[in-house]
Amino acid sequence: MAGAVRSHGCLRLLGTHLKDLLYTKHCVLFDCDGVIWNGEKAVVGAPEVVSLLKKRGKSVFFVTNNCTRPRDGYLQKFSRLGFSDVVQSDILSSAYCSAVYLRDVAKVQGKVYVIGGDGVYTELHEAGVPAVGREPEIPGATIYDCPLDSDVKAVLVGYDDKLNFLKLAKACCYLRDPDCLFLATDRDPWHPLPRGRVSPGSGSLAAALETAAGRRATVVGKPGRFMFDCIAGRFGVDPARTVMVGDRLETDILFGRTCGVDTVLTLTGVSTLEQAQGYRDSPASEEAACVPDYVVDTVADFLPALDEER
């Protein structure tokens, strides 16, 4: 039944079961960070898995909430890390999908004020959506006297490691207009860094602005389904023949469940098997919605199932 919460989950995928699952699927969706790479190092076996899936006639897409790079930048990273079969149309980032949403869904007639970095600005530019927000500030300017652009019709919040009070205050001023659209690239709260450190994610920045503006942002990235709708609309993907592979329960796995596709948690990133099992055994419906159907240690576990034609 559509929308029903399943009573099972966290099943280990091994051998024949993994081969049978891949045989029934035509499309595989991968998250990137923590799934096929960690930082500047590919997960062992990941390039071979992607190559073999494509050779077996599968459609492969990469759906990432990381908005720091444009798709061309991601394509360069794929190539640098040894993924030789990836093309730009395989890649959907929250920055790219935000630009598509503003252009094709919201059809915004005016400028977009951006809290974000180069990835967001580049994708907006390539989509023909005018953006403002990174112009040099007037020395000494404050929210009391800084100029505001009367043509701003939307505010978009993404990851911004140069966020400051004035940026936040300007965005809040624009959002006083109830007709000003309020978007966030994603709601990831934090990102892991080397040596156990973390960085605040786009979600934490969006939450700050939501509190200040008294408004709730429309979120383009996972776990919302807009990324999947972009793929399905362009490539005719069938949810019943699709599987989502991710490392974050509240983002990737919930995204898969929201889109009605089977989900696989890989243990090379953020979430642990213990967390998934805890969600499975929890009476809370919001946690049950984040339970993966299947679990693998790493995407390299796919290799034996792909080594031979069925």
Side-chain angles (χ1 to χ4, degrees):
M1 178 185 297
V5 175
R6 299 166 184 167
S7 60
H8 59 82
C10 301
L11 300 176
R12 279 282 186 176
L13 270 179
L14 296 168
T16 301
H17 295 297
L18 180 49
K19 191 170 186 178
D20 288 344
L21 176 69
L22 292 177
Y23 179 73
T24 65
K25 304 301 179 183
H26 176 71
C27 178
V28 183
L29 309 178
F30 287 105
D31 179 41
C32 293
D33 299 288
V35 177
I36 61 169
W37 61 54
N38 281 297
E40 282 297 315
K41 185 176 181 180
V43 169
V44 174
E48 292 81 3
V49 168
V50 171
S51 180
L52 285 170
L53 283 168
K54 290 201 165 196
K55 287 179 180 177
R56 299 291 180 266
K58 311 294 184 182
S59 296
V60 178
F61 296 97
F62 303 93
V63 287
T64 175
N65 275 353
N66 190 325
C67 63
T68 59
R69 304 170 189 260
R71 288 196 300 165
D72 179 68
Y74 272 110
L75 191 60
Q76 293 175 35
K77 180 168 183 176
F78 276 108
S79 177
R80 187 166 66 247
L81 297 187
F83 294 84
S84 58
D85 301 285
V86 177
V87 296
Q88 187 163 300
S89 59
D90 296 337
I91 305 166
L92 288 92
S93 70
S94 62
Y96 167 73
C97 288
S98 293
V100 171
Y101 185 94
L102 285 161
R103 183 191 65 197
D104 298 342
V105 179
K107 301 182 189 295
V108 64
Q109 299 295 312
K111 299 174 185 176
V112 178
Y113 182 75
V114 174
I115 293 176
D118 288 344
V120 175
Y121 280 101
T122 300
E123 293 293 0
L124 290 173
H125 175 74
E126 292 186 356
V129 178
V132 296
R134 61 177 175 183
E135 300 78 18
E137 294 291 352
I138 299 171
T142 70
I143 193 56
Y144 294 96
D145 54 19
C146 68
L148 295 175
D149 193 323
S150 61
D151 198 32
V152 167
K153 304 301 181 185
V155 171
L156 173 62
V157 183
Y159 180 81
D160 189 342
D161 60 2
K162 295 180 176 59
L163 178 67
N164 58 38
F165 182 84
L166 189 55
K167 283 185 179 181
L168 193 65
K170 280 186 172 183
C172 190
C173 288
Y174 289 127
L175 290 173
R176 297 282 292 175
D177 178 358
D179 293 326
C180 183
L181 186 66
F182 185 13
L183 294 182
T185 57
D186 62 273
R187 208 174 279 286
D188 284 9
W190 56 274
H191 303 292
L193 298 174
R195 302 187 302 279
R197 299 192 177 191
V198 298
S199 171
S202 304
S204 63
L205 308 189
L209 185 53
E210 286 177 330
T211 301
R215 293 179 55 179
R216 189 79 168 165
T218 296
V219 181
V220 175
K222 299 174 293 183
R225 62 172 297 128
F226 185 68
M227 280 184 171
F228 184 78
D229 290 341
C230 287
I231 297 170
R234 182 173 177 184
F235 299 99
V237 172
D238 178 4
R241 300 194 64 196
T242 302
V243 61
M244 172 69 202
V245 185
D247 73 305
R248 203 164 196 157
L249 297 171
E250 301 85 357
T251 303
D252 303 317
I253 302 306
L254 181 56
F255 169 71
R257 295 290 295 274
T258 299
C259 299
V261 308
D262 284 345
T263 56
V264 179
L265 175 69
T266 178
L267 302 177
T268 50
V270 171
S271 297
T272 66
L273 178 59
E274 291 73 24
Q275 289 171 329
Q277 291 171 334
Y279 281 5
R280 180 193 60 191
D281 300 333
S282 170
S285 59
E286 64 271 18
E287 293 183 349
C290 300
V291 177
D293 296 299
Y294 308 104
V295 178
V296 294
D297 289 323
T298 166
V299 293
D301 290 350
F302 287 22
L303 284 173
L306 293 167
D307 276 341
E308 295 180 5
E309 295 275 2
R310 185 181 173 101

